[in-house]
Amino acid sequence: MTIPVGPPTSGDRPAPVAEKYTDRVSWLVIGLAIAAVVILGVTLTSSPGAERASSPAAVAQSGETVTETIRIEGMSYQPNRVEIPTGSRLVLELVNEDNQPHDLTLNGYTTELVAPGEAVTFDAGVFTADTEGWCTVAGHRAQGMVFDVVVTGGTAAPPAAAATGHDMHAGTGQADGANPFAEVPGPAARLSAELDEQAWFDPVLEPAPTGTVHELEFNVTEEIREVAPGHRQAQWLFNGQAPGPTLRGKVGDTFRITLRNDGTMGHSVDFHVGEVSPDAPMATIAPGESLVYEFVARRWGIWMYHCATAPMSLHIANGMAGAVIIDPPAGLDAVDHEYALVGHEIFLGPEDTGADAERVNAGQYDLTGFNGFPNQYDLRPIEIDAGQRVRIWVLNVGPDNPISFHIVGAIFDTVFSEGRYTVRDGLDDATGAQVLPLLPAQGGFVEVTFDEPGTYTFVNHIMTDAEKGQHGSIIVR
Ligand SMILES: [Cu+2]
């Protein structure tokens, strides 16, 4: 294997060199030349390691080069720590034995994204202080994917703040603190806000399309969208929308979904309604790749789907979840309107990177919503006529918190949840239900007839979550 040795000759980041790199010979020549300079004892002041020492001129470089092989397994580097004499140069071979791409940023250098099964070798420069590295793929550092270089001997300086790596998003380490990224709009501000047309999500559920085979494309993109009034941030999307498209069919139908990854990181999809071995169809695919995920819907109800790439909490929080609705063989009872509400938490974050990984990891959400946006059905209510009967399907995609779905002024005469009716119109009309309770990934529907005109509010009856945005209006005329 060819190992280019030596720091970059300019301010550019050094080239991480894949084994497939085609220009090995010239690198070898450059590397040998620089190595010769090191051996001659010339201080390389352009080294980022030297730059970070408190007084670079005072630190004698050992001239030693330490080479280590680091394997990536799951969300960790193995080993995740290396000790080297102060002043020595560290060359790492990074072997990715995980099923999704990873990288390593260390000492100011970042490797290319290493695909599963591939390896890169890179020169991380000279170390004179303890230094933390990490994987820059979204959410991986928050999941513990860090790598420590510990220097021994000499007069190593204490690690500077910049070298610890905690400056990635200033202030985000305090998971219990205020969100540093944005002012969270209060309920009054949300109610007076103009709802961005792009953000509004039609809650009307269309009947299942005819035919028994549903061929669909799911294109994954990463886009900047409005996730709360006045707050735009990156989202990761199935077909450009959050939640993803609501699919509908009936028991016995075949769904053939072509998942294509047009994003910048690994993504995948897991359909809960599919009873299939997860190994191939739920695999994480790299940018530019695609796969076909086929299943036969054998059981009716409302089923979650979501990106299954780690950390799933972050991929779901960034918008990668949705619903599949399967009708029973004999069909459902007649209603005048059907709606679908996908409930979720909202984690604010920087515009360019989206939901903050550390806040997601801590379960610290800022807002909640149905269908992608807080309070959107207060801003633009659902409207029906008095005497009409509605069915509202509700799915909780979380990622973490339960929903207690309730409509102020209504009792549900019919509730279906997770494979059974708990109350049903015509079976015992002397009782009913006040909530549809849903843990994350659970779904169901309620049916209700609104006899009197008025404004009926639907909420997550976990009241602080209603106040964060899981709140909407049905106007009965
Ligand atoms: Cu994803």
Side-chain angles (χ1 to χ4, degrees):
M1 177 192 317
T2 304
I3 299 175
V5 178
T9 51
S10 71
D12 296 344
R13 81 176 207 192
V17 179
E19 290 184 325
K20 62 191 176 195
Y21 197 78
T22 53
D23 199 14
R24 294 177 180 180
V25 175
S26 24
W27 269 106
L28 183 59
V29 171
I30 293 168
L32 288 172
I34 295 171
V37 173
V38 173
I39 290 163
L40 287 170
V42 176
T43 301
L44 296 173
T45 54
S46 67
S47 156
E51 281 169 3
R52 288 211 175 119
S54 55
S55 54
V59 178
Q61 295 193 11
S62 72
E64 183 180 343
T65 294
V66 178
T67 301
E68 286 281 342
T69 296
I70 309 295
R71 291 174 300 106
I72 297 171
E73 294 178 359
M75 284 287 174
S76 66
Y77 300 103
Q78 307 265 344
N80 61 2
R81 181 180 189 278
V82 62
E83 284 189 14
I84 59 173
T86 187
S88 50
R89 176 174 298 280
L90 181 61
V91 173
L92 292 175
E93 184 192 24
L94 199 60
V95 183
N96 187 359
E97 296 181 358
D98 192 35
N99 60 8
Q100 67 161 303
H102 297 280
D103 64 11
L104 173 62
T105 188
L106 179 65
N107 204 26
Y109 297 168
T110 305
T111 72
E112 67 185 63
L113 209 51
V114 187
E118 295 200 358
V120 297
T121 298
F122 84 112
D123 178 349
V126 173
F127 288 78
T128 55
D130 294 350
T131 303
E132 184 184 69
W134 63 92
C135 179
T136 71
V137 176
H140 291 197
R141 185 187 189 190
Q143 292 288 310
M145 200 165 176
V146 295
F147 178 80
D148 288 306
V149 177
V150 177
V151 299
T152 57
T155 54
T164 65
H166 287 301
D167 59 336
M168 185 168 62
H169 301 307
T172 61
Q174 286 80 49
D176 56 343
N179 190 324
F181 303 114
E183 294 264 322
V184 175
R190 271 175 263 151
L191 283 169
S192 64
E194 288 285 310
L195 186 59
D196 188 327
E197 194 62 34
Q198 182 204 30
W200 191 76
F201 193 104
D202 189 350
V204 171
L205 177 66
E206 300 294 339
T210 55
T212 58
V213 177
H214 308 276
E215 294 223 38
L216 296 129
E217 289 200 353
F218 266 32
N219 287 345
V220 179
T221 56
E222 296 158 14
E223 300 173 29
I224 293 172
R225 297 170 80 249
E226 186 178 25
V227 300
H231 187 87
R232 293 168 62 79
Q233 69 185 46
Q235 287 198 298
W236 307 343
L237 304 166
F238 291 115
N239 290 359
Q241 62 179 78
T246 299
L247 310 186
R248 191 168 194 184
K250 58 187 181 301
V251 168
D253 286 2
T254 295
F255 289 78
R256 190 174 298 131
I257 287 97
T258 301
L259 177 75
R260 179 176 167 76
N261 185 355
D262 290 324
T264 64
M265 68 193 85
H267 293 291
S268 57
V269 66
D270 168 359
F271 288 95
H272 289 190
V273 66
E275 297 170 82
V276 296
S277 166
D279 297 351
M282 297 183 203
T284 292
I285 56 171
E289 292 185 343
S290 62
L291 60 73
V292 176
Y293 189 144
E294 182 171 328
F295 59 87
V296 174
R298 296 194 182 91
R299 303 168 197 274
W300 70 277
I302 179 169
W303 307 89
M304 182 175 175
Y305 68 82
H306 59 90
C307 179
T309 299
M312 288 188 217
S313 54
L314 184 61
H315 286 248
I316 292 169
N318 273 321
M320 300 191 76
V324 178
I325 293 174
I326 304 298
D327 293 333
L332 291 158
D333 297 339
V335 292
D336 297 300
H337 300 282
E338 275 191 292
Y339 303 99
L341 301 175
V342 174
H344 54 90
E345 295 104 61
I346 297 168
F347 300 78
L348 299 181
E351 178 170 308
D352 57 341
T353 53
D356 178 58
E358 289 189 33
R359 294 176 68 79
V360 172
N361 192 40
Q364 195 184 17
Y365 54 103
D366 301 287
L367 296 165
T368 60
F370 288 115
N371 290 346
F373 202 86
N375 296 86
Q376 65 176 309
Y377 305 115
D378 289 318
L379 299 166
R380 193 195 292 189
I382 292 169
E383 296 187 30
I384 62 168
D385 294 325
Q388 289 189 322
R389 185 167 178 79
V390 302
R391 176 183 300 117
I392 303 175
W393 296 82
V394 189
L395 176 72
N396 181 8
V397 300
D400 295 329
N401 287 276
I403 290 174
S404 177
F405 185 77
H406 172 73
I407 302 180
V408 177
I411 287 178
F412 309 138
D413 61 40
T414 298
V415 174
F416 174 86
S417 177
E418 293 293 299
R420 69 197 158 93
Y421 284 96
T422 55
V423 293
R424 191 169 186 186
D425 185 39
L427 287 186
D428 184 355
D429 293 340
T431 191
Q434 59 205 300
V435 297
L436 166 62
L438 300 169
L439 291 171
Q442 287 191 315
F445 64 72
V446 300
E447 291 175 7
V448 56
T449 302
F450 294 94
D451 291 324
E452 295 183 14
T455 299
Y456 295 77
T457 303
F458 60 87
V459 295
N460 179 351
H461 214 289
I462 296 173
M463 297 290 15
T464 53
D465 286 332
E467 289 153 7
K468 287 183 172 72
Q470 280 175 334
H471 185 291
S473 300
I474 300 169
I475 293 178
V476 180
R477 294 173 297 241

